[in-house]
Amino acid sequence: NRDRKAQHDARRPSSSQRGYNGTWDRERVKFLKRNPACRMCGAPAVAVDHIDPHKGDQELFWDRTNWQPLCATHHNSTKQRLERRQAKGS
């Protein structure tokens, strides 16, 4: 699993190249203040997740209707597992 993640990270652009910059940080904080609970379980949200992966599409990246608040558990495991399953099915 660690090797798979390392290979994936080596191929992808940096976080700033993907749009995660100071503007994103400010908007993320505002969004989490308005949406403090994880959409999946109600625990405190710590991440703003893109419901549909933007894959570099800046219009989809900034589409707030495509954002959801998630706790660390759901962002770092559940959502990643769902995206891997979707990628295998396409």
Side-chain angles (χ1 to χ4, degrees):
N1 201 22
R2 183 178 294 164
D3 290 339
R4 180 190 54 78
K5 288 180 182 180
Q7 288 173 349
H8 175 73
D9 287 344
R11 291 188 307 265
R12 69 194 290 202
S14 71
S15 60
S16 61
Q17 290 171 321
R18 294 188 325 265
Y20 298 99
N21 54 28
T23 302
W24 168 257
D25 291 339
R26 286 187 295 279
E27 293 304 314
R28 175 191 163 281
V29 168
K30 286 192 251 183
F31 184 83
L32 290 174
K33 282 183 181 178
R34 290 189 307 269
N35 304 277
C38 175
R39 179 170 282 173
M40 294 184 179
C41 71
V46 297
V48 177
D49 177 65
H50 292 90
I51 298 165
D52 293 321
H54 60 85
K55 297 182 182 179
D57 178 340
Q58 288 299 294
E59 189 171 325
L60 188 57
F61 182 94
W62 289 108
D63 179 358
R64 284 159 179 77
T65 65
N66 189 41
W67 295 2
Q68 65 181 343
L70 294 179
C71 66
T73 298
H74 284 115
H75 182 262
N76 297 336
S77 62
T78 306
K79 181 67 191 301
Q80 306 308 314
R81 189 171 48 253
L82 291 170
E83 288 180 5
R84 280 194 304 275
R85 283 185 193 151
Q86 288 174 344
K88 286 180 183 178
S90 53

